[in-house]
Amino acid sequence: MATPTADSPDLTDEQREIQALAREFARAEIRPIAAEVDESDVVSPLEVVHKAAAVGLTSFMLPEEVGGGGIGDVLTGCIVQEELNWGCAGIGNLITSAGFFARPLIEVGTAEQRERWLRPLSGPTPPLTALASTEPGVGSDAAAMTTAATRTDSGYRLHGQKTWISNGGLAEYYVIFATVAPGTGSRGVTAFVVEKGDAGVSFGEPMRKHGQRAIVSTEVFLQDVDLPADRLLGEEGKGFYSLMHTFDESRIHLAAGAIGIARAALEYATEYARERTAFGKPIGHHQAVGFRLADMATRIDAARLLTHRAARSMDAGRHVPAEAAMAKLFASEAATWCTWAAVQTLGGWGYSREYPVEKWMRDAKLEEIEEGTSDIQRLIIARSLIGR
Ligand SMILES: Cc1cc2nc3c(=O)[nH]c(=O)nc-3n(C[C@H](O)[C@H](O)[C@H](O)COP(=O)(O)OP(=O)(O)OC[C@H]3O[C@@H](n4cnc5c(N)ncnc54)[C@H](O)[C@@H]3O)c2cc1C
């Protein structure tokens, strides 16, 4: 098919191998269950996570020292994200969700902490994990978080509430961001590892969502949770930097996931435009439809170029907040536009739940919101241009 694919000419043999693995997994294991999982709304399909674990797709990014695949480069993560999200964004992100939790542990965790909380993620039935920053009153302005961490004789006591936490209630382990100095902004933000079974931890009901329903989101309540000192991750007051570094990587991966959704929409719409006829010819031969497909293809390719550039830049050791923000901004808006365009191309059938494109449109919208809205990405890019 003459549509752009993810086959960049400059991938290594190892990257091509894992791309082929993820592509086949998405085709054989994710696509067939995507609609059913979406309809059932608040149920995470753990069976498919275990199948992914069996072929290494849940742990390829974890360090070898804890049993992972040791493929820690951001670009390979992008390649896998695109393929899995092509299958279904919710399921794809569920499969790779360990990467979001693991990032701060890899960056600032001790060897003991990595052994304790990362090694189980490399097993055949890996526990789910989560990362919690957002609160009911604080999302974009993460430095203003109010969940408090107070020092005790044996460690810390956490008190507060998080919201919209992916894998909430199902995850065994959580990286939770709290402040040791409320009201001081980013200077107080500190990271902790909290376990599901810790006394004082509880969860809200799964939130009912527009899209990406394969991942459960809940509130997390922290009611005077006493933690031993070894739950502190990194240094006191340095958590904000860990969070921002985590976002640099995860936003590039999110951009790659958005490209996967957009590619699915383009492929489906192109096929439909070849077969559906109106006014005596395939609709793709009507210029308005053909041009829409051309715009989809162009935006997808541009999004991938930006995303892979940001990934390669981060892999080269550069500090990439603005490049990551550009990739996320452009790719997520491209995905929203391309999935809208696919619905439009299918006409009335695009609006039907019997066809997959309306789901992709719902799934794509989240990419413009989570891990920093499009406004926040523009803010980061603007600051990189003109300073604060
Ligand atoms: C399905 C889902 C899963 C999620 N998973 C997680 C998770 O696992 N962990 C986690 O911690 N969080 C998670 N989130 C939360 C998500 O990251 C936040 O919703 C997001 O960062 C926006 O925060 P907010 O909802 O509080 O919006 P607000 O910060 O209240 O923003 C509201 C509006 O104001 C705009 N705005 C705010 N500040 C500015 C500004 N300075 N300039 C211009 N515009 C601005 C925003 O762009 C937005 O349009 C998830 C959210 C969803 C929907």
Side-chain angles (χ1 to χ4, degrees), residues 100 130-141 162-167 209 211-212 217 247 366 369-376 379 383:
F100 198 33
L131 179 144
S133 163
T134 308
E135 300 180 351
V138 177
S140 303
D141 187 9
K162 297 292 177 183
T163 193
W164 276 119
I165 303 310
S166 303
N167 289 337
K209 298 201 300 260
Q212 299 210 21
S217 309
F247 279 150
L366 180 59
I369 295 171
E370 71 175 343
E371 295 178 38
T373 63
S374 290
D375 297 321
I376 296 307
L379 196 69
R383 281 179 179 163

Side-chain angles (χ1 to χ4, degrees), residues 74 109 119 125 141 194 212 237 245 252 299 355:
V74 185
R119 183 168 293 281
T125 53
D141 187 9
V194 171
Q212 299 210 21
H245 289 166
I252 301 172
R299 288 180 199 216
Y355 287 76

Side-chain angles (χ1 to χ4, degrees), residues 104-119:
L105 272 140
I106 293 169
E107 189 173 303
V108 297
T110 63
E112 291 75 27
Q113 288 175 326
R114 289 198 290 270
E115 184 61 28
R116 176 165 172 189
W117 290 299
L118 295 187
R119 183 168 293 281

Side-chain angles (χ1 to χ4, degrees), residues 71-363:
I71 307 175
D73 66 286
V74 185
L75 182 59
T76 302
C78 287
I79 292 162
V80 173
Q81 269 314 98
E82 177 175 334
E83 297 305 327
L84 298 183
N85 276 250
W86 173 91
C88 167
I91 298 173
N93 290 328
L94 177 68
I95 287 171
T96 56
S97 55
F100 198 33
F101 165 84
R103 174 79 196 170
L105 272 140
I106 293 169
E107 189 173 303
V108 297
T110 63
E112 291 75 27
Q113 288 175 326
R114 289 198 290 270
E115 184 61 28
R116 176 165 172 189
W117 290 299
L118 295 187
R119 183 168 293 281
L121 308 187
S122 303
T125 53
L128 291 181
T129 56
L131 179 144
S133 163
T134 308
E135 300 180 351
V138 177
S140 303
D141 187 9
M145 65 178 62
T146 59
T147 295
T150 320
R151 265 177 237 119
T152 62
D153 290 344
S154 55
Y156 294 87
R157 178 169 298 158
L158 263 52
H159 192 91
Q161 183 180 338
K162 297 292 177 183
T163 193
W164 276 119
I165 303 310
S166 303
N167 289 337
L170 293 177
E172 292 296 328
Y173 312 141
Y174 299 77
V175 169
I176 303 261
F177 291 88
T179 176
V180 291
T184 63
S186 62
R187 271 173 295 153
V189 175
T190 305
F192 298 90
V193 180
V194 171
E195 296 191 349
K196 181 181 179 178
D198 287 331
V201 178
S202 61
F203 306 93
E205 288 298 310
M207 294 154 110
R208 291 172 61 79
K209 298 201 300 260
H210 186 55
Q212 299 210 21
R213 293 171 173 170
I215 298 193
V216 166
S217 309
T218 71
E219 300 202 272
V220 178
F221 303 104
L222 303 153
Q223 185 71 37
D224 293 331
V225 179
D226 279 319
L227 299 175
D230 65 4
R231 299 295 189 87
L232 171 69
L233 197 49
E235 290 175 49
E236 256 190 33
K238 295 279 167 63
F240 194 73
Y241 304 102
S242 289
L243 182 60
M244 292 306 121
H245 289 166
T246 299
F247 279 150
D248 285 349
E249 181 177 284
S250 67
R251 283 172 181 158
I252 301 172
H253 284 157
L254 188 148
I259 295 163
I261 305 172
R263 198 181 101 212
L266 172 62
E267 288 173 8
Y268 204 91
T270 304
E271 209 48 55
Y272 191 86
R274 272 204 194 100
E275 280 166 20
R276 176 77 173 181
T277 55
F279 298 92
K281 57 183 173 184
I283 58 168
H285 290 170
H286 294 294
Q287 200 177 54
V289 176
F291 277 17
R292 196 159 51 227
L293 297 174
D295 285 347
M296 289 167 82
T298 306
R299 288 180 199 216
I300 292 169
D301 235 20
R304 189 181 295 112
L305 288 170
L306 260 183
T307 301
H308 285 199
R309 187 195 67 177
R312 288 184 196 280
S313 207
M314 193 166 184
D315 287 334
R318 285 194 279 278
H319 187 49
V320 296
E323 284 173 87
M326 283 183 189
K328 181 186 186 287
L329 173 65
F330 191 84
S332 61
E333 293 192 349
T336 300
W337 190 84
C338 289
T339 52
W340 164 84
V343 169
Q344 203 64 21
T345 301
L346 268 70
W349 301 112
Y351 204 63
S352 163
R353 282 157 70 167
E354 299 300 316
Y355 287 76
V357 291
E358 66 80 32
K359 171 189 178 295
W360 294 333
M361 186 169 71
R362 288 186 282 108
D363 288 348

